[in-house]
Amino acid sequence: MRLFIAALALAGLAACETTEGFGRDVSDLGDAITEESQEAQ
């Protein structure tokens, strides 16, 4: 699971080209982490 999160973060950071895009990527990453943690409980 940590590998998935790390890969998602890397892909998100590589894909964004603007500050706005970076904000969306960070938000998406937060959503993914929240979803994974809820599934783990």
Side-chain angles (χ1 to χ4, degrees), residues 22-39:
F22 178 73
R24 284 193 306 264
D25 291 339
V26 171
S27 178
D28 291 344
L29 178 59
D31 291 343
I33 292 170
T34 299
E35 184 178 321
E36 289 291 327
S37 66
Q38 289 175 347
E39 290 177 6

Side-chain angles (χ1 to χ4, degrees), residues 4-31:
F4 170 74
I5 293 171
L8 182 62
L10 182 59
L13 291 174
C16 71
E17 295 178 343
T18 65
T19 304
E20 183 179 344
F22 178 73
R24 284 193 306 264
D25 291 339
V26 171
S27 178
D28 291 344
L29 178 59
D31 291 343

